[in-house]
Amino acid sequence: MMKGYSFQEDDQKKTVYVLEIMDNIDPRMNRKVRLALEDAEAKEADFFLVHMDTYGGAVNDADDIRTLLLESKIPTLVFIDKDAASAGALISIACDSIYMAPGASIGAATVVMGGGGDAAPDKYQSYMRSMMRSTAEANGRNPKIAEAMVDEKLVVEGISEAGSVITFSVSEAIENGFCEGQVNSIEEIIEKQQVDNYEIIEYKLNTSETIISFFLNPAVSGFLILVIFAGIYFEIQTPGVGFPLAASIIAVTLYFIPYYLTGLAENWEIVVFILGIILLALELFVIPGFGVAGILGIMGILTGLTLGMIPNDIFDFTFVPSGDLFMALVTVVLSAVIAVGLIFIMAPKVNQWKAFSHIALADTQDKKAGYTSSWYGEELLGKEGIAHTRLMPSGKILIEAEIYDAHSRGEFIDKGEKIKVISTEGTSLTVKKQ
């Protein structure tokens, strides 16, 4: 008899809560199962049924999921619709009842590296063996068989030989107590619970989870990275405007929060990103030249953005699929390159945008009406002096003991370097390095 359920006949409609696990076991799936179980309990469901077809995934997330299922007050069932391998086998064994579709299989729980090839170090195998054994014991299944699904060196008489891990077909799983029966549908499973009057509730993302899922899309993440870099650049070019910086901060928030909530982005990865920003700011505004701090800052920013997308354990990529790591790198690097390219293409045209006219003076000020393009007199043209502050490219210069606002034509000029005034038009002098 399953936990928390009595097979006494009654006419009350039963609620069957169905959750699909049709993808890799990772932090996102971990969060999905937890939310689904919480929702099932809130709806007072009579059964929690997992519809499964997975080749496995991260061991730590599988451990969290199997713990949730073992501790669930609602009777749990799993319908293996083709595959329950590795972490999928562990999760299946954690359920009260296991049902399998024709041609399905369960087992092969050896822990492998993220690329899916070589077996992981023995410490991970030992951990997996222990979980499989204790989970099987908790639900009245043979712990030796469960352990032999992980370790090819273990021999279970009459079932497995040394050199191969156990993978059961439907008939083998039934024969050895790892499956309650072969079924073709969820409805058949419910009938086997002696329930005729029931309703099925399928787990669906609520509004907040839908929004989170949207921002986890690599294309959306890439766009946010583009906004982050563009915002930082334009804020440096036009300090005090505020809009570029605000856009960058909003983009950073929208980028990290979804990954943080799903367990992908860790605190230390966000700290690495923030340190990168700080180092880059120090390089631009405090430290003369462009050197170690600037390079480390850029590396910190790119590292934080990349690692925030994947479930690594402090640079341990053992269980990170190589495809996920490659996708994260491509998304971040390509977005950064596109951002730099767009900056060089679009920056000269910003003043021509109608939208920009709301935050910048774009009206024509005719000379006949008394307007002049020069804030300073022509006598300063050609004068030489030094940079009183660093020009990035704006700053202050010193000419004959007088301080003036000035800017270069894009180049950075360090404090103390010699300069020459090449234009007096506008509200600040245009200079070049001597």
Side-chain angles (χ1 to χ4, degrees), residues 156-285:
V156 180
E157 188 175 350
I159 297 177
S160 68
E161 298 178 355
S164 62
V165 295
I166 292 178
T167 301
F168 281 149
S169 64
V170 179
S171 60
E172 290 169 336
I174 293 173
E175 181 182 351
N176 291 282
F178 279 74
C179 177
E180 274 62 53
Q182 177 176 296
V183 297
N184 292 290
S185 65
I186 290 173
E187 287 73 17
E188 283 189 41
I189 296 176
I190 300 172
E191 289 176 9
K192 287 183 177 293
Q193 311 311 310
Q194 304 176 17
V195 175
D196 297 321
N197 186 17
Y198 63 89
E199 66 172 339
I200 293 177
I201 298 177
E202 295 183 359
Y203 172 75
K204 293 182 180 178
L205 297 176
N206 57 32
T207 302
S208 61
E209 293 301 315
T210 301
I211 294 172
I212 289 173
S213 180
F214 171 77
F215 282 105
L216 289 175
N217 186 306
V220 177
S221 296
F223 174 76
L224 292 174
I225 292 171
L226 189 154
V227 174
I228 292 170
F229 281 101
I232 292 172
Y233 173 81
F234 282 111
E235 183 62 30
I236 291 173
Q237 291 294 94
T238 56
V241 172
F243 172 74
L245 180 61
S248 187
I249 291 173
I250 292 171
V252 169
T253 303
L254 293 176
Y255 180 87
F256 276 112
I257 284 181
Y259 286 109
Y260 184 81
L261 290 176
T262 52
L264 290 169
E266 301 288 345
N267 291 329
W268 70 271
E269 292 164 342
I270 299 175
V271 170
V272 168
F273 174 82
I274 294 173
L275 286 176
I277 293 289
I278 293 172
L279 287 172
L280 185 60
L282 287 174
E283 184 68 46
L284 293 175
F285 298 107

Side-chain angles (χ1 to χ4, degrees), residues 13-266:
K13 181 181 286 187
K14 303 299 180 184
T15 301
V16 181
Y17 197 101
V18 178
L19 168 69
E20 290 190 347
I21 295 183
M22 300 287 187
D23 207 340
N24 290 334
I25 309 302
D26 60 13
R28 284 166 287 200
M29 187 61 72
N30 188 344
R31 175 180 171 84
K32 182 178 178 181
V33 174
R34 178 170 56 79
L35 292 173
L37 276 167
E38 290 175 355
D39 191 38
E41 290 182 2
K43 289 181 168 60
E44 298 183 347
D46 296 283
F47 298 96
F48 186 84
L49 193 151
V50 176
H51 190 184
M52 176 180 288
D53 183 8
T54 181
Y55 289 110
V59 174
N60 55 334
D61 291 300
D63 184 19
D64 289 342
I65 293 172
R66 70 116 187 181
T67 302
L68 288 169
L69 292 169
L70 287 172
E71 294 178 350
S72 171
K73 298 177 182 178
I74 305 172
T76 56
L77 310 96
V78 61
F79 175 34
I80 301 174
D81 197 356
K82 294 300 180 283
D83 293 295
S86 189
L90 175 64
I91 293 169
S92 297
I93 296 171
C95 292
D96 298 315
S97 298
I98 302 173
Y99 294 89
M100 300 172 70
S105 62
I106 180 174
T110 301
V111 185
V112 297
M113 305 291 279
D118 299 333
D122 189 62
K123 65 177 181 179
Y124 298 111
Q125 308 298 350
S126 177
Y127 180 47
M128 188 66 167
R129 288 196 303 269
S130 174
M131 285 194 295
M132 291 287 284
R133 183 173 60 249
S134 62
T135 304
E137 287 177 349
N139 282 333
R141 300 186 175 99
N142 190 325
K144 291 184 179 179
I145 291 177
E147 194 173 359
M149 288 182 175
V150 180
D151 193 343
E152 63 181 13
K153 294 178 288 187
L154 292 179
V155 176
V156 180
E157 188 175 350
I159 297 177
S160 68
E161 298 178 355
S164 62
V165 295
I166 292 178
T167 301
F168 281 149
S169 64
V170 179
S171 60
E172 290 169 336
I174 293 173
E175 181 182 351
N176 291 282
F178 279 74
C179 177
E180 274 62 53
Q182 177 176 296
V183 297
N184 292 290
S185 65
I186 290 173
E187 287 73 17
E188 283 189 41
I189 296 176
I190 300 172
E191 289 176 9
K192 287 183 177 293
Q193 311 311 310
Q194 304 176 17
V195 175
D196 297 321
N197 186 17
Y198 63 89
E199 66 172 339
I200 293 177
I201 298 177
E202 295 183 359
Y203 172 75
K204 293 182 180 178
L205 297 176
N206 57 32
T207 302
S208 61
E209 293 301 315
T210 301
I211 294 172
I212 289 173
S213 180
F214 171 77
F215 282 105
L216 289 175
N217 186 306
V220 177
S221 296
F223 174 76
L224 292 174
I225 292 171
L226 189 154
V227 174
I228 292 170
F229 281 101
I232 292 172
Y233 173 81
F234 282 111
E235 183 62 30
I236 291 173
Q237 291 294 94
T238 56
V241 172
F243 172 74
L245 180 61
S248 187
I249 291 173
I250 292 171
V252 169
T253 303
L254 293 176
Y255 180 87
F256 276 112
I257 284 181
Y259 286 109
Y260 184 81
L261 290 176
T262 52
L264 290 169
E266 301 288 345

